Amino acid sequence: MKIEGVFAPVATPFNDDGSINFEMYSNNLEKLAKTSLAGIVSLGSNGEFAMLSYEEKLELVKATRKELPKDKALIVGTGCETLSDTIRMTNNAAEAGADVALVINPSYYKSDLSDAVLQKHFECVADKSQIPVMLYNIPRNSGINLSSSLVIKLSAHPNIKGVKDSGGNITQISEILASVPESFSVFAGSGGYLFVTTILGGKGGTLAVANVAPDYCTELFEAAKSGSVEKGRKMQLDLMALNNAVTAGFGIGGMKAAMEIAGFRVGIPRLPIQPAPDEIKDKIYKMMDKLQLVGKYRD
Amino acid sequence: MKIEGVFAPVATPFNDDGSINFEMYSNNLEKLAKTSLAGIVSLGSNGEFAMLSYEEKLELVKATRKELPKDKALIVGTGCETLSDTIRMTNNAAEAGADVALVINPSYYKSDLSDAVLQKHFECVADKSQIPVMLYNIPRNSGINLSSSLVIKLSAHPNIKGVKDSGGNITQISEILASVPESFSVFAGSGGYLFVTTILGGKGGTLAVANVAPDYCTELFEAAKSGSVEKGRKMQLDLMALNNAVTAGFGIGGMKAAMEIAGFRVGIPRLPIQPAPDEIKDKIYKMMDKLQLVGKYRD
Amino acid sequence: MKIEGVFAPVATPFNDDGSINFEMYSNNLEKLAKTSLAGIVSLGSNGEFAMLSYEEKLELVKATRKELPKDKALIVGTGCETLSDTIRMTNNAAEAGADVALVINPSYYKSDLSDAVLQKHFECVADKSQIPVMLYNIPRNSGINLSSSLVIKLSAHPNIKGVKDSGGNITQISEILASVPESFSVFAGSGGYLFVTTILGGKGGTLAVANVAPDYCTELFEAAKSGSVEKGRKMQLDLMALNNAVTAGFGIGGMKAAMEIAGFRVGIPRLPIQPAPDEIKDKIYKMMDKLQLVGKYRD
Amino acid sequence: MKIEGVFAPVATPFNDDGSINFEMYSNNLEKLAKTSLAGIVSLGSNGEFAMLSYEEKLELVKATRKELPKDKALIVGTGCETLSDTIRMTNNAAEAGADVALVINPSYYKSDLSDAVLQKHFECVADKSQIPVMLYNIPRNSGINLSSSLVIKLSAHPNIKGVKDSGGNITQISEILASVPESFSVFAGSGGYLFVTTILGGKGGTLAVANVAPDYCTELFEAAKSGSVEKGRKMQLDLMALNNAVTAGFGIGGMKAAMEIAGFRVGIPRLPIQPAPDEIKDKIYKMMDKLQLVGKYRD
């Protein structure tokens, strides 16, 4: 299977009591499945994976696979702090229907996690995983950057098939693209550099903003892929403000607010994370209005 | 109860298959209980708390309380990414015999975790906790610094009784000590600044190096507390090299190597963390030899 | 005048006694002037501007203008720590023949240099400057990042005509391009992102690697400008290793070694900066051999 | 000569037109000379050394020596980006009456400035300097930290007699104190850790806050030196708020505002640095009032 196209890292809706609202979740998936997206990332950072128990995670993967048509790929975030948990989660996710495992590095014990240790870790996971592994680099949250030289070394493993780079260092992304096999998928981890990553040879992206503007994002991706530079540039630049609002700018609260404005229902974040305050919602509303996204995915 | 004195953040021994070796654990506790330590921290960073399942954590707390004489205090690391998990873990730990909950901040969603959000989080935990709460600031690992103004605000809560500061910014520690109530315990989170923290009014420390040199550390603490400046200074400076080796320098692998050299049995770290290589062990051996710690706690 | 195209931030050659070798300098300029470059940056970071006295700087500007044909533009680095020095240097450079002033932010007193203070500073410089001002953002060296919102605000000033961004944060570059007037020139500050910056609407670049591979860089720029995505991508990816070697990787020493290999004569860096050691030179030689750059610009 | 005691890094007063006001400067020195300070640092960070020309620097050194009684030591900041400028400035300062040269590391070309390069640089300066050299570590401003291992190596040079550490990492300060000769002076570079640095064996400090509270700072230092722990602790903690206000908190503008409130006359900072706004001045006034410093040094 090819890991290609634009994926939405779907939000996990929570009820006011903090429990998962599976009805909202399925409803959102149903809508996203009707868009032009290549697939869904479940248990990504935007899905609040770090806030979920092991059991909740598996339930979500099952619910995702159940709702998702066969032609939509399912990437699942499976990385944990320990090697054994990561392998177990990866294979449980595979059994629950995941096509690809998106594996974040362990990160708590930073002074123990050299490039050499991380290399061994990812190789062991890939050896044991029943499904292809995609590396997940998100230094802003994990505090560790997967260096271009590490990613290039890991790209030689037959079961490591790509990297989702949420670091956004385009020099590093270019160094990786210059040295990995053609079959290795480099994904933009944010809508802020989907266009340029694709122009450089990237195969797609998994983007918070694809939760709010899925068709816009795939159209932008296709423009890049087909070399429609004028169109792609314009779409990319028009997306910048909203893209910032739903990730770095206003966090999970911002993304959930934007999804509600677009017509999804996502409840509140899990505590201690807070919903976006009204002034942020107003800002996001205006950004989305400009791109004609308000209410676009309402029932 | 007063939170005071030197605590060892006891290591969690693992077998080669990755399971916890409770026999080694109890044996180490038995030895540490005979030292002059004020108590034990279970599920601290040095106890590899981030590598343990919920069930393993509770088992460890129970095993710790069982082994520990009543006059030794038990502080347990109970912070999780979510508010509800943190409250549950805190009260489960309390029921299993913890005297104090050491609560690290959530850290993954950094752009969602402002001082205001963290304040609310800690206050909710403290409201619900059956035992006193001690804040745990360890920016090197969590990527978030609990600012002095945040800690000072939280010190007003009747059930927040202290902070363990592993940031090591002595200006920040001093700002806190200048503004918190006398009953609020500021702990050094590393042996590198136990002396000066105590001299400034700190009430103790929980120190990786106390796992290897417990009696040395309490003697140093007492020197500081009683104002024996000459003695305390000398002991502090003599401790610097080893202290660096068992924390920032060589990580969990370094600390476990040092504990083995001192005469404890701690097995290996949980994967992907690696044991210290031989050259590091040799360095640590020499440092410990200087302080007459080699084999000091052997059976 | 339009600020457009690829510029080489020419090196300043030093004799063994530390004095400037103007003969080497003029000779290099003569060669660079025969290439397809749009112009030269004198007193850039790669020109060791921070190591030069005020008098040396002016001599270099005069020597550059003298050697440079009229159809080649001359951008001169004129930023100093104080406002008055910056204005004086800028207008002296203008009188000595500079077409554009490249103005780095002051940076030593970081806690005094908020966005508001920097905005006022740049506006005052632009008000007083006889020539157009280009902002110079190089956080790796200066320790301050000119935020996209600051650059966007400054782009409204009639005499601030562009920014050279050496931060390499492509999200930030995109945010700037999304909001500045069409006449405002955004330049890539490194060869690592010349292609994507241009594809996004950037007008050129000033690149260390253009000192070693000037015609390659302009060809890459033209490919991007004309939308030749396939060609541009390939050239960009092929350039990554060498580009890293002459900037972030091996510093001034690396760049000077590469220039010597290409056939320029640049002497040694000014002390305390050291020439590249032989093993680095060997690495760079191999990278340049691959791109057929060895000896390409020899007399 | 011994490098010992508390030094004030005297401010450089500027007129509204940006020129130095030597009358104010001499007047301030006259007052400071009557305090219990061990001496003066001229051309320190707080003296806005980075904003001054070579000629202005020398004039200031001469003015300082002229005003200062023989029993007060004069330390002069002489570090420049190049080796040759640093040596020249150091010996010119020596000829103008400096007792000790305070040498900051070069910092612009960070990727060229490894520990090995910096070691060679400082050794060359010390070889050529007519007066003892004191290392100056201020990572917050320079962006480079002089590591404890580098400082320890340099302490072996017969003409390198100390370090002023403005990094404030007390672990690093302790590592240095554990390994340098007794004759090597470790100075606190901020009032935030004068007490603990001295308790650990430091020989003094050069402190922004000593410009506003010179006698308070020397009394604090003497308490630490003589082992009066209770008194020293109280004085240190009482100083924290003001100390933060005059350095990290409100920058040069804050320090100059505080000096005016204490009764000195310092004019405004040199542009682009701005004077403190009124609300900051009010805050500082209240802090100083608590310590009975308002108007204390008025004529």
Side-chain angles (χ1 to χ4, degrees):
Chain A
M1 80 154 293
K2 284 186 182 174
I3 309 176
E4 202 169 334
V6 176
F7 288 71
V10 65
T12 304
F14 293 106
N15 295 311
D16 285 359
D17 67 0
S19 59
I20 298 176
N21 188 318
F22 281 97
E23 197 188 319
M24 285 184 183
Y25 187 68
S26 296
N27 189 253
N28 293 341
L29 281 173
E30 198 183 336
K31 288 175 182 176
L32 289 169
K34 286 178 192 152
T35 68
S36 49
L37 288 174
I40 290 294
V41 174
S42 183
L43 309 181
S45 294
N46 290 292
E48 292 177 62
F49 86 90
M51 316 300 278
L52 301 167
S53 73
Y54 199 89
E55 294 68 32
E56 289 174 326
K57 285 180 180 179
L58 281 184
E59 275 191 273
L60 278 166
V61 179
K62 285 174 195 162
T64 317
R65 187 69 277 176
K66 194 177 154 197
E67 203 60 55
L68 217 58
K70 285 195 174 168
D71 63 321
K72 300 286 185 186
L74 174 54
I75 300 177
V76 176
T78 64
C80 304
E81 281 294 309
T82 68
L83 175 63
S84 60
D85 284 350
T86 304
I87 293 170
R88 189 162 66 108
M89 183 69 208
T90 299
N91 285 329
N92 282 348
E95 286 148 21
D99 297 309
V100 173
L102 181 63
V103 183
I104 197 173
N105 51 284
S107 64
Y108 190 76
Y109 294 101
K110 291 175 179 60
S111 60
D112 285 277
L113 295 165
S114 63
D115 267 23
V117 169
L118 290 173
Q119 184 180 343
K120 209 168 159 181
H121 174 73
F122 281 118
E123 287 172 351
C124 286
V125 173
D127 284 345
K128 297 286 173 61
S129 170
Q130 299 164 24
I131 49 176
V133 163
M134 188 172 209
L135 308 170
Y136 184 10
N137 185 33
I138 182 163
R140 191 178 62 241
N141 293 41
S142 80
I144 289 181
N145 175 47
L146 303 183
S147 68
S148 47
S149 68
L150 174 59
V151 172
I152 291 163
K153 276 179 203 153
L154 289 169
S155 73
H157 191 287
N159 202 28
I160 299 180
K161 298 294 197 183
V163 64
K164 162 170 154 57
D165 187 291
S166 299
N169 180 330
I170 201 72
T171 300
Q172 187 171 313
I173 290 174
S174 301
E175 285 167 353
I176 291 169
L177 282 163
S179 298
V180 294
E182 161 63 23
S183 62
F184 187 86
S185 292
V186 175
F187 266 38
S190 154
Y193 40 91
L194 175 63
F195 178 60
V196 293
T197 302
T198 310
I199 282 280
L200 286 164
K203 297 286 172 51
T206 146
L207 325 161
V209 77
N211 277 322
V212 233
D215 295 304
Y216 188 102
C217 290
T218 54
E219 195 179 341
L220 167 53
F221 171 67
E222 291 301 334
K225 207 178 144 189
S226 65
S228 300
V229 171
E230 282 302 323
K231 181 182 175 184
R233 169 197 305 154
K234 189 181 177 325
M235 289 190 77
Q236 177 67 72
L237 298 186
D238 287 350
L239 189 62
M240 294 313 295
L242 179 62
N243 179 71
N244 178 59
V246 300
T247 52
F250 308 126
I252 296 287
M255 192 197 61
K256 286 198 156 172
M259 288 185 77
E260 290 275 349
I261 294 167
F264 298 96
R265 290 185 54 221
V266 290
I268 52 168
R270 192 166 262 187
L271 286 168
I273 302 181
Q274 303 291 322
D278 285 346
E279 65 187 83
I280 300 297
K281 285 182 186 167
D282 289 350
K283 278 192 191 175
I284 295 174
Y285 186 97
K286 278 170 201 154
M287 290 171 187
M288 292 184 62
D289 201 26
K290 268 194 197 166
L291 297 172
Q292 298 180 288
L293 291 166
V294 175
K296 185 166 179 184
Y297 298 94
R298 201 165 289 151
D299 292 307
Chain B
M1 81 155 291
K2 282 188 185 175
I3 310 176
E4 201 168 335
V6 176
F7 288 71
V10 64
T12 304
F14 294 106
N15 296 309
D16 285 358
D17 67 1
S19 59
I20 298 175
N21 188 318
F22 282 96
E23 198 189 319
M24 285 184 182
Y25 186 71
S26 297
N27 188 254
N28 293 341
L29 281 172
E30 197 183 337
K31 288 175 181 175
L32 289 168
K34 285 178 194 152
T35 68
S36 49
L37 288 174
I40 289 293
V41 175
S42 182
L43 309 180
S45 294
N46 290 292
E48 293 178 62
F49 86 89
M51 316 301 277
L52 300 168
S53 72
Y54 199 89
E55 295 69 30
E56 288 174 327
K57 286 180 180 180
L58 280 185
E59 275 190 272
L60 279 166
V61 179
K62 286 173 195 162
T64 317
R65 187 68 277 177
K66 195 177 155 198
E67 202 61 54
L68 218 57
K70 284 195 176 166
D71 63 321
K72 300 286 183 185
L74 173 54
I75 300 177
V76 176
T78 65
C80 304
E81 280 294 309
T82 69
L83 175 62
S84 59
D85 284 350
T86 304
I87 293 171
R88 189 163 64 110
M89 184 69 209
T90 299
N91 285 330
N92 282 348
E95 286 148 20
D99 298 308
V100 173
L102 181 63
V103 183
I104 196 172
N105 52 284
S107 63
Y108 190 76
Y109 295 101
K110 292 176 179 60
S111 59
D112 286 275
L113 295 165
S114 63
D115 267 23
V117 170
L118 290 172
Q119 184 180 342
K120 209 168 158 180
H121 174 74
F122 281 117
E123 286 172 351
C124 286
V125 173
D127 284 345
K128 298 286 173 60
S129 171
Q130 299 164 22
I131 49 176
V133 163
M134 188 172 210
L135 309 170
Y136 184 11
N137 186 33
I138 182 163
R140 191 178 62 240
N141 293 42
S142 81
I144 288 181
N145 176 47
L146 302 184
S147 68
S148 48
S149 68
L150 174 59
V151 172
I152 291 163
K153 278 178 203 154
L154 289 169
S155 73
H157 191 288
N159 203 27
I160 300 182
K161 299 293 197 185
V163 63
K164 161 171 155 54
D165 188 290
S166 300
N169 181 328
I170 200 71
T171 299
Q172 186 171 314
I173 290 174
S174 302
E175 286 167 352
I176 292 169
L177 283 163
S179 298
V180 295
E182 161 63 22
S183 62
F184 188 85
S185 291
V186 176
F187 265 39
S190 155
Y193 40 92
L194 174 63
F195 177 60
V196 292
T197 302
T198 309
I199 282 281
L200 285 164
K203 298 284 173 52
T206 145
L207 324 162
V209 76
N211 277 321
V212 231
D215 295 304
Y216 187 102
C217 290
T218 53
E219 194 179 343
L220 167 53
F221 170 69
E222 292 300 335
K225 207 178 141 188
S226 64
S228 301
V229 171
E230 282 303 322
K231 180 182 177 185
R233 170 197 304 154
K234 189 180 176 325
M235 289 190 78
Q236 177 67 73
L237 298 185
D238 287 350
L239 189 62
M240 294 313 296
L242 178 62
N243 180 70
N244 178 58
V246 299
T247 54
F250 309 127
I252 295 288
M255 191 198 63
K256 286 198 156 174
M259 288 185 76
E260 290 275 350
I261 295 168
F264 298 97
R265 288 184 57 220
V266 290
I268 53 169
R270 191 166 262 187
L271 287 169
I273 302 180
Q274 304 291 322
D278 285 347
E279 67 187 82
I280 300 298
K281 285 182 185 167
D282 289 350
K283 279 191 188 176
I284 295 173
Y285 186 96
K286 277 171 201 155
M287 290 171 187
M288 292 182 62
D289 201 26
K290 268 194 197 166
L291 297 171
Q292 297 178 288
L293 292 166
V294 175
K296 183 163 180 186
Y297 298 95
R298 202 165 287 151
D299 291 307
Chain C
M1 80 152 295
K2 282 186 185 176
I3 310 177
E4 202 169 334
V6 176
F7 288 71
V10 66
T12 304
F14 293 106
N15 296 310
D16 285 358
D17 67 0
S19 59
I20 298 175
N21 187 318
F22 282 96
E23 198 189 319
M24 284 185 184
Y25 186 69
S26 296
N27 188 254
N28 293 342
L29 281 172
E30 197 184 338
K31 287 175 183 177
L32 289 169
K34 285 176 193 154
T35 68
S36 49
L37 288 174
I40 288 294
V41 174
S42 182
L43 308 181
S45 294
N46 290 291
E48 292 176 64
F49 85 89
M51 318 299 278
L52 300 167
S53 72
Y54 200 89
E55 294 68 32
E56 288 174 327
K57 286 181 181 180
L58 280 184
E59 274 190 273
L60 277 166
V61 179
K62 285 173 195 161
T64 317
R65 187 69 276 177
K66 193 177 156 199
E67 202 60 55
L68 217 57
K70 284 196 176 167
D71 63 322
K72 300 286 184 186
L74 174 55
I75 300 176
V76 175
T78 64
C80 305
E81 281 294 309
T82 69
L83 175 63
S84 60
D85 284 350
T86 304
I87 293 170
R88 188 163 65 109
M89 183 70 209
T90 299
N91 285 328
N92 283 348
E95 286 148 20
D99 297 309
V100 174
L102 180 65
V103 183
I104 196 173
N105 51 283
S107 64
Y108 189 75
Y109 294 101
K110 291 174 180 60
S111 59
D112 285 277
L113 295 165
S114 63
D115 267 24
V117 169
L118 290 172
Q119 183 180 342
K120 208 168 159 180
H121 174 73
F122 281 117
E123 286 172 350
C124 286
V125 173
D127 284 345
K128 297 285 173 61
S129 171
Q130 300 164 22
I131 49 176
V133 163
M134 188 172 209
L135 309 170
Y136 184 11
N137 186 33
I138 183 163
R140 191 178 62 240
N141 293 43
S142 81
I144 289 181
N145 176 48
L146 303 183
S147 69
S148 47
S149 67
L150 174 59
V151 172
I152 291 164
K153 276 178 204 154
L154 289 169
S155 73
H157 191 286
N159 202 28
I160 299 181
K161 300 292 197 182
V163 63
K164 162 171 154 55
D165 188 290
S166 299
N169 180 330
I170 200 71
T171 299
Q172 187 171 312
I173 290 173
S174 302
E175 285 167 353
I176 292 169
L177 282 165
S179 297
V180 294
E182 161 63 23
S183 61
F184 188 85
S185 292
V186 176
F187 266 37
S190 154
Y193 39 92
L194 174 63
F195 178 59
V196 293
T197 301
T198 310
I199 282 281
L200 286 165
K203 297 286 172 50
T206 146
L207 324 161
V209 76
N211 277 322
V212 230
D215 296 305
Y216 187 102
C217 290
T218 53
E219 194 180 342
L220 167 54
F221 171 69
E222 292 299 335
K225 206 178 145 190
S226 64
S228 302
V229 171
E230 282 302 322
K231 181 183 176 183
R233 170 197 305 154
K234 191 182 175 322
M235 290 190 77
Q236 177 67 73
L237 298 186
D238 287 351
L239 189 62
M240 293 314 295
L242 178 62
N243 180 71
N244 178 58
V246 300
T247 53
F250 309 126
I252 295 288
M255 191 197 63
K256 284 198 157 173
M259 288 186 77
E260 290 275 348
I261 295 167
F264 298 96
R265 289 184 57 220
V266 290
I268 52 167
R270 190 166 264 186
L271 285 168
I273 302 181
Q274 303 292 320
D278 285 346
E279 66 187 83
I280 300 298
K281 285 182 185 167
D282 289 350
K283 279 192 189 174
I284 295 174
Y285 186 97
K286 278 171 201 155
M287 291 171 187
M288 292 183 63
D289 201 25
K290 268 195 197 165
L291 297 172
Q292 297 178 287
L293 291 166
V294 174
K296 185 165 178 184
Y297 299 95
R298 200 163 290 150
D299 292 306
Chain D
M1 78 155 294
K2 282 187 185 176
I3 310 177
E4 203 169 333
V6 176
F7 287 71
V10 66
T12 305
F14 294 105
N15 297 309
D16 286 357
D17 67 0
S19 59
I20 298 175
N21 188 317
F22 282 97
E23 197 189 320
M24 286 185 183
Y25 186 71
S26 296
N27 188 254
N28 293 341
L29 281 173
E30 198 183 337
K31 289 175 183 177
L32 289 169
K34 286 177 194 153
T35 69
S36 49
L37 289 173
I40 290 293
V41 174
S42 182
L43 309 181
S45 294
N46 290 292
E48 294 177 61
F49 85 89
M51 317 300 277
L52 301 168
S53 72
Y54 199 90
E55 294 68 31
E56 289 175 327
K57 286 180 180 179
L58 280 185
E59 276 190 272
L60 278 166
V61 180
K62 285 173 195 161
T64 317
R65 187 68 277 177
K66 194 177 155 199
E67 203 60 54
L68 219 57
K70 284 196 176 165
D71 63 324
K72 301 286 184 186
L74 174 54
I75 300 177
V76 176
T78 64
C80 305
E81 281 294 309
T82 68
L83 176 62
S84 59
D85 284 351
T86 304
I87 293 170
R88 189 163 64 109
M89 183 69 209
T90 299
N91 285 330
N92 283 347
E95 287 148 19
D99 297 307
V100 173
L102 181 63
V103 183
I104 196 172
N105 52 283
S107 64
Y108 190 76
Y109 295 101
K110 292 175 180 60
S111 59
D112 285 276
L113 295 165
S114 63
D115 267 24
V117 169
L118 290 172
Q119 184 181 341
K120 209 168 158 179
H121 173 74
F122 281 118
E123 287 172 351
C124 286
V125 173
D127 284 345
K128 297 284 173 60
S129 170
Q130 300 163 22
I131 49 176
V133 163
M134 187 172 211
L135 309 171
Y136 184 10
N137 186 33
I138 183 163
R140 191 178 63 240
N141 292 42
S142 80
I144 289 180
N145 176 48
L146 303 184
S147 69
S148 49
S149 67
L150 174 60
V151 172
I152 291 163
K153 278 179 202 153
L154 288 169
S155 73
H157 190 288
N159 201 28
I160 299 181
K161 299 293 196 184
V163 63
K164 161 171 155 53
D165 187 291
S166 300
N169 181 329
I170 200 72
T171 300
Q172 186 171 313
I173 291 173
S174 302
E175 285 166 354
I176 292 169
L177 283 163
S179 298
V180 294
E182 161 62 23
S183 62
F184 188 86
S185 291
V186 176
F187 265 39
S190 154
Y193 39 92
L194 173 63
F195 178 59
V196 293
T197 302
T198 310
I199 282 280
L200 285 164
K203 298 284 172 51
T206 144
L207 324 161
V209 77
N211 277 321
V212 224
D215 295 304
Y216 187 101
C217 291
T218 54
E219 194 180 342
L220 168 54
F221 170 69
E222 292 300 335
K225 207 178 145 189
S226 65
S228 302
V229 171
E230 283 302 323
K231 180 182 177 186
R233 170 198 304 155
K234 190 182 176 324
M235 290 189 77
Q236 177 67 74
L237 298 186
D238 288 349
L239 189 62
M240 294 314 295
L242 178 63
N243 180 69
N244 178 58
V246 300
T247 53
F250 309 126
I252 295 288
M255 190 197 64
K256 284 197 156 173
M259 288 184 76
E260 291 275 349
I261 294 167
F264 298 96
R265 288 183 57 221
V266 291
I268 53 168
R270 190 166 263 188
L271 287 169
I273 302 180
Q274 304 291 321
D278 285 347
E279 67 188 81
I280 300 298
K281 285 182 185 167
D282 289 350
K283 278 191 191 175
I284 295 174
Y285 187 97
K286 278 170 203 156
M287 292 170 187
M288 292 182 63
D289 201 25
K290 268 194 199 168
L291 297 172
Q292 299 178 288
L293 292 166
V294 175
K296 184 165 179 185
Y297 298 95
R298 200 165 289 150
D299 291 307

